[in-house]
Amino acid sequence: MNIKKRDYDVENGIFFVSDVNGGRPPYPVTNERVQWTSSCINVHCMHEIDGTVTFTLAPFEDIAVPCELIFDGTVETPSRELMISSVETIPLLKTEVPESVTRIRIWTNHPKWPDKVVVGWG
Amino acid sequence: MSTMRCGRGGTWLVHGLDPADAALARFRYAIAANRVLLAGERFRRELKAGFHPNEPRIPAGNPGIGGQWTDEGGVSARVVRVQSRGPRGEEPPERIAGRLFDATPAEEARLEISQAQMQAALRRVQQLDPNWKPRPSLYETIEGEITANEAATREAQDRLYELSRVGSGPGPFAVESQPARGPGRSWTAAEIRENNRIGRTYGCHTCGTKDPETASGNYVLDHQAPIRLNRNGLPMRIYPHCALCSARQGDIVNHLADRDEY
């Protein structure tokens, strides 16, 4: 089991999934829940003013799929290390991945203000 | 608080707390005072010498013609305006693109002002977008340099306006704000109440909406300048933000900040 969890008050109500060395975030941000480039995915979640968000990062096969799937795609991971980060680029969770391009699936528990986010890789 | 007009016809708010503004105001005052003194000195010289100092002369040291009045383009010797020389004629001329130019006091003053305005505008932009630079320009005269400085100032003001539209810098709907205790984000109930009051009165400082679009209905408390971009530790203020503008700001901050820092 390689499941990593963290509770965090998310500044700006947005987080990023990318290689640990960063990526090119989508621009401009719209009302869409998820936006992505080949190297970075950004996802809206509950804002820190409203409370804490629980993040889970795990290999896909270890996840008991919890809620609504909002993203299924890939992200470049040239350093073979994946991270979930905040606007202040604090790595919230990191994990090693085997490939330079990693399949990512993201589930959230609310269409607009999720306080549970699960990121599955592989 | 004062209002500054930007290059695209809009306005944004400039807060008196910014040390760059205060320094610029002091500099402008000094320039204006110097111009008055220069005008007085020019008048005194005209009275004393009985000639107009703008009339060009050939510098001393040119055998046979040194000191004579001349047309500027009519001789090969470098022409020095009398009023631009120091007491012993030792003031260096302005060097532009490797060539020497003599500037009148008026040109020197305008050049200084344009440089100060450009540098102040650049400082303000680079607080928010550290890697931004104006487009480079070529110029061959002092007037050209002044025009280039003015163009760079306008470009910086336009960039500042763009940044304010995405939440970096106080936005076009910013009217009231409250001081931030620091970069932390642990808010007191009073701060949240005050932020909501400002938000319900004037709307989100970036887009003007009166719907904060958060689960609790509270406006987001937004530091300006954004914490991650405030590398000089300038005093910050808090403005009400809606959730979408806050997310957009997060994205632009990620674009602007140096991603190598981690």
Side-chain angles (χ1 to χ4, degrees):
Chain A
M1 297 283 278
N2 187 21
I3 297 176
K4 298 180 177 183
K5 283 196 172 194
R6 178 162 177 186
D7 292 341
Y8 187 74
D9 295 342
V10 184
E11 64 271 12
N12 298 86
I14 193 170
F15 68 90
F16 303 87
V17 179
S18 68
D19 184 84
V20 75
N21 291 323
R24 184 172 51 84
Y27 180 82
V29 165
T30 65
N31 269 324
E32 295 295 318
R33 278 191 283 178
V34 189
Q35 292 178 269
W36 63 92
T37 66
S38 61
S39 59
C40 183
I41 305 161
N42 77 19
V43 185
H44 289 264
C45 63
M46 192 162 76
H47 200 284
E48 64 173 347
I49 194 80
D50 293 328
T52 301
V53 177
T54 302
F55 290 93
T56 305
L57 177 63
F60 174 66
E61 61 269 18
D62 292 345
I63 295 173
V65 174
C67 31
E68 185 191 359
L69 180 69
I70 61 164
F71 179 81
D72 185 352
T74 60
V75 70
E76 293 164 3
T77 47
S79 73
R80 290 177 167 72
E81 199 172 6
L82 181 73
M83 77 169 173
I84 300 175
S85 61
S86 69
V87 164
E88 295 185 358
T89 325
I90 297 168
L92 304 176
L93 293 169
K94 290 195 281 191
T95 190
E96 290 183 1
V97 292
E99 306 290 340
S100 60
V101 176
T102 304
R103 184 176 177 186
I104 300 291
R105 277 165 275 197
I106 301 174
W107 295 266
T108 61
N109 69 340
H110 192 279
K112 200 166 181 183
W113 303 300
D115 63 355
K116 286 189 174 55
V117 175
V118 177
V119 177
W121 58 269
Chain B
M1 197 154 58
S2 60
T3 306
M4 179 184 286
R5 184 155 292 281
C6 74
R8 289 185 179 171
T11 56
W12 70 83
L13 299 172
V14 180
H15 293 271
L17 284 178
D18 190 336
D21 288 345
L24 182 59
R26 278 197 298 276
F27 183 78
R28 283 179 174 154
Y29 172 79
I31 289 286
N34 279 334
R35 290 173 83 174
V36 171
L37 290 174
L38 277 170
E41 176 62 16
R42 257 197 312 273
F43 184 60
R44 191 189 67 77
R45 286 190 189 186
E46 283 184 36
L47 285 180
K48 181 180 174 187
F51 65 91
H52 195 284
N54 268 337
E55 194 172 350
R57 296 177 72 187
I58 298 169
N62 290 284
I65 56 172
Q68 292 181 13
W69 305 116
T70 180
D71 295 332
E72 280 187 63
V75 292
S76 58
R78 191 167 64 82
V79 172
V80 177
R81 292 182 189 282
V82 173
Q83 66 176 25
S84 66
R85 293 193 317 204
R88 297 182 190 132
E90 74 274 21
E91 278 185 21
E94 188 80 14
R95 182 180 288 275
I96 297 174
R99 292 167 59 192
L100 296 172
F101 288 85
D102 296 307
T104 65
E107 283 173 333
E108 282 175 7
R110 287 174 50 229
L111 186 61
E112 291 281 331
I113 290 169
S114 69
Q115 281 171 344
Q117 287 175 335
M118 177 185 69
Q119 283 161 5
L122 282 181
R123 267 198 307 275
R124 290 185 65 81
V125 173
Q126 286 174 351
Q127 282 169 8
L128 302 170
D129 184 355
N131 298 321
W132 186 85
K133 287 178 184 165
R135 280 188 293 273
S137 26
L138 288 172
Y139 44 83
E140 292 187 333
T141 63
I142 291 167
E143 283 300 328
E145 188 175 357
I146 292 169
T147 305
N149 289 342
E150 288 170 348
T153 304
R154 280 195 300 275
E155 207 180 327
Q157 288 171 344
D158 284 353
R159 179 63 179 151
L160 207 52
Y161 182 69
E162 279 174 7
L163 292 171
S164 77
R165 293 294 300 176
V166 293
S168 293
F173 297 92
V175 179
E176 279 189 56
S177 60
Q178 57 181 322
R181 284 176 286 126
R185 292 192 304 275
S186 57
W187 311 111
T188 65
E191 285 170 333
I192 293 172
R193 260 199 316 276
E194 175 65 1
N195 194 59
N196 284 338
R197 182 194 67 76
I198 297 170
R200 286 176 193 133
T201 308
Y202 303 107
C204 164
H205 78 88
T206 300
C207 71
T209 182
K210 294 194 176 174
D211 177 5
E213 298 180 55
T214 58
S216 60
N218 288 326
Y219 278 88
V220 175
L221 291 91
D222 179 34
H223 283 95
Q224 290 297 338
I227 298 166
R228 194 172 161 201
L229 300 179
N230 187 18
R231 293 177 181 175
N232 298 326
L234 295 175
M236 291 184 281
R237 297 192 68 81
I238 299 168
Y239 295 82
H241 232 181
C242 73
L244 180 58
C245 288
S246 179
R248 283 182 173 151
Q249 181 199 54
D251 194 56
I252 196 80
V253 166
N254 244 0
H255 270 274
L256 298 178
D258 179 7
R259 295 188 70 84
D260 291 332
E261 69 193 28
Y262 57 89

